[in-house]
């Protein structure tokens, strides 16, 4: 299944983000079954707390291509996008979002109270991408647990 294929790439990018000194989040942008852009979380290396995998991908892809309407694209994310990244997806009219672990999964790992951020943003926005959640969820949760458990200890 292609969703699993592209999600594996997003999860691999989340592992690379850790290797590069950042938090474990990766994103892959696909159009017509072809990867057109990828990005990993770069909040520490770019010294920019807003340089999440998804927002950074959208920012760079739009800047480099001049394309501002992503209604024909699917974004694969290793974890459910935060409020900021979900808002960026609304602004570019993303066609479809596929994510692995949910924000609730992440917040449970972090021992915090969580929410379904993307769902909340999309419900209150004039644009709602199609959403498919939980693709390779356990694989992503394992990456998140490994990273955040190590940081906590």
């Amino acid at each position: 299944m292609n969703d699993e294929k592209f999600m594996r790439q997003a999860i691999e990018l989340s592992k690379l983000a850790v290797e590069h000194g950042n938090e474990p989040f990766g994103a892959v942008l696909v159009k017509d079954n072809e990867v057109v852009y990828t990005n990993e979380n770069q909040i520490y290396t770019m010294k920019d707390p807003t340089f999440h995998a998804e927002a950074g991908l959208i920012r760079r892809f739009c800047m480099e291509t001049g394309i501002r309407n992503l209604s024909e694209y699917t974004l694969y994310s290793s974890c459910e996008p935060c409020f900021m990244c979900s808002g960026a997806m609304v602004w570019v009219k993303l066609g479809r979002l596929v994510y692995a672990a949910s924000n609730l999964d992440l917040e449970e790992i972090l021992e915090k109270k969580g929410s379904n951020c993307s769902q909340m943003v999309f419900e209150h926005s004039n644009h709602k991408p199609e959403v498919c959640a939980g693709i390779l969820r356990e694989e992503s949760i394992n990456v998140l647990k490994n990273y955040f458990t190590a940081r906590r200890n």
Side-chain angles (χ1 to χ4, degrees):
M1 178 177 204
N2 285 334
D3 281 349
E4 288 185 5
K5 171 183 150 185
F6 296 126
M7 185 58 70
R8 281 191 207 297
Q9 287 183 259
I11 293 170
E12 285 306 311
L13 285 163
S14 73
K15 294 174 186 176
L16 279 176
V18 172
E19 288 179 26
H20 297 143
N22 296 292
E23 293 187 344
F25 303 99
V28 174
L29 189 63
V30 173
K31 182 179 180 191
D32 299 329
N33 227 19
E34 296 286 329
V35 173
V36 296
Y37 213 86
T38 65
N39 193 53
E40 60 191 55
N41 178 287
Q42 298 176 55
I43 61 171
Y44 298 128
T45 53
M46 295 293 283
K47 298 173 181 55
D48 179 353
T50 69
F51 213 104
H52 294 190
E54 305 89 346
L57 181 148
I58 290 168
R59 183 183 307 135
R60 284 187 165 166
F61 177 78
C62 292
M63 184 176 58
E64 291 177 19
T65 65
I67 297 170
R68 296 184 350 215
N69 182 328
L70 302 185
S71 60
E72 297 179 10
Y73 295 77
T74 298
L75 193 146
Y76 291 84
S77 180
S78 62
C79 188
E80 179 180 2
C82 71
F83 291 107
M84 174 188 70
C85 293
S86 298
M89 292 173 195
V90 169
W91 283 106
V92 296
K93 297 176 176 56
L94 181 69
R96 184 168 179 253
L97 167 66
V98 180
Y99 65 84
S102 71
N103 186 60
L104 292 172
D105 295 325
L106 173 62
E107 297 298 340
E108 184 177 313
I109 292 165
L110 297 173
E111 299 175 351
K112 295 180 179 180
K113 182 181 179 210
S115 65
N116 290 106
C117 330
S118 64
Q119 181 181 339
M120 291 173 70
V121 170
F122 300 152
E123 283 176 359
H124 294 87
S125 299
N126 60 358
H127 177 75
K128 298 164 184 49
E130 176 188 335
V131 177
C132 180
I135 302 295
L136 301 181
R137 177 176 172 256
E138 290 302 321
E139 288 182 35
S140 181
I141 287 173
N142 287 337
V143 174
L144 294 167
K145 275 184 183 173
N146 290 340
Y147 176 80
F148 288 108
T149 302
R151 283 194 55 143
R152 194 171 29 242
N153 296 336

